[in-house]
Amino acid sequence: DMKVTQMPRYLIKRMGENVLLECGQDMSHETMYWYRQDPGLGLQLIYISYDVDSNSEGDIPKGYRVSRKKREHFSLILDSAKTNQTSVYFCASRDINSGNTLYFGEGSRLIVV
Amino acid sequence: GDSVTQTEGLVTLTEGLPVMLNCTYQTIYSNPFLFWYVHYLNESPRLLLKSSTDNKRTEHQGFHATLHKSSSSFHLQKSSAQLSDSALYYCALNTGGLSGKLTFGEGTQVTVIS
């Protein structure tokens, strides 16, 4: 069964602190994504990773960076979190063998106070 | 750039009545792929259905949609809403390039009442 796992699921941080969100997949998918979900804005793409150390900015990369050192893991890093980064973050991986279907994790809810 | 528009942000339906969620898109690519994803509360978003060729209907789990390139639309329909259809629905566009970038609409929150 295809699975994407995100950790942590819930996180509260103070403004200016660093945040690390981690994502893992066991399907050997090459392409992975980080999205954030906000009411009325839908899912907005932060970064895409095409494979190890091959990352590309999405539509809203400012304030974020990513790391992918193993195909199975894709991390989202917030250096000095801001209150407007309070959101639900979703990781996804792409299955090219099923018409480019995206498999999503369960989300990481981040609150920055 | 590419964009997807879902005109209804919130939809409340009575059980048993038909469902139609609007989705239109803009892209310069001539062969786009459209998707509907559904996000139930406390679960992961997951694929509901994806487009086939132009003007061909695709169906899954009682829902159906038809890609119409002439009107740049991929509306989601169901003949009879069920309480379990209450969820957040996203229309998404992929232009088939190497990037694999999926552009999502704003989402439509559907609530089905009895």
Side-chain angles (χ1 to χ4, degrees), chain B:
Chain B
D2 299 332
S3 67
V4 176
T5 301
Q6 295 179 243
T7 52
E8 308 100 350
L10 294 168
V11 171
T12 302
L13 300 163
T14 302
E15 188 180 17
L17 293 184
V19 182
M20 180 163 172
L21 306 184
N22 291 315
C23 173
T24 56
Y25 64 90
Q26 286 190 319
T27 181
I28 61 172
Y29 292 95
S30 58
N31 288 307
F33 296 93
L34 275 293
F35 302 79
W36 278 99
Y37 279 80
V38 59
H39 187 193
Y40 297 101
L41 191 62
N42 297 323
E43 295 185 11
S44 308
R46 64 173 187 255
L47 180 68
L48 179 58
L49 52 77
K50 56 190 172 188
S51 64
S52 181
T53 52
D54 193 18
N55 297 315
K56 184 174 180 180
R57 173 169 157 154
T58 57
E59 299 187 34
H60 187 61
Q61 296 184 330
F63 288 90
H64 63 92
T66 302
L67 176 63
H68 292 296
K69 289 185 183 180
S70 60
S71 58
S72 299
S73 66
F74 190 59
H75 305 319
L76 182 68
Q77 298 182 70
K78 188 178 184 183
S79 59
S80 176
Q82 299 177 295
L83 296 175
S84 57
D85 294 329
S86 296
L88 181 55
Y89 292 80
Y90 288 110
C91 184
L93 165 69
N94 176 267
T95 53
L98 288 176
S99 76
K101 178 181 173 182
L102 203 62
T103 300
F104 285 85
E106 306 91 338
T108 299
Q109 181 68 53
V110 173
T111 302
V112 182
I113 59 176
S114 57

Side-chain angles (χ1 to χ4, degrees), chain A residues 56-113:
Chain A
S56 181
E57 293 181 345
D59 297 320
I60 54 163
K62 187 178 180 181
Y64 303 95
R65 62 183 175 92
V66 292
S67 174
R68 192 160 178 209
K69 298 302 182 184
K70 293 182 180 180
R71 180 173 285 186
E72 299 78 27
H73 295 120
F74 188 34
S75 301
L76 180 69
I77 301 126
L78 288 67
D79 295 314
S80 187
K82 300 173 180 54
T83 55
N84 62 8
Q85 293 178 308
T86 292
S87 187
V88 182
Y89 292 86
F90 285 96
C91 174
S93 68
R94 180 175 68 151
D95 182 7
I96 60 173
N97 295 317
S98 67
N100 291 319
T101 300
L102 261 60
Y103 289 89
F104 285 87
E106 293 178 307
S108 295
R109 181 176 293 276
L110 171 66
I111 298 174
V112 182
V113 297

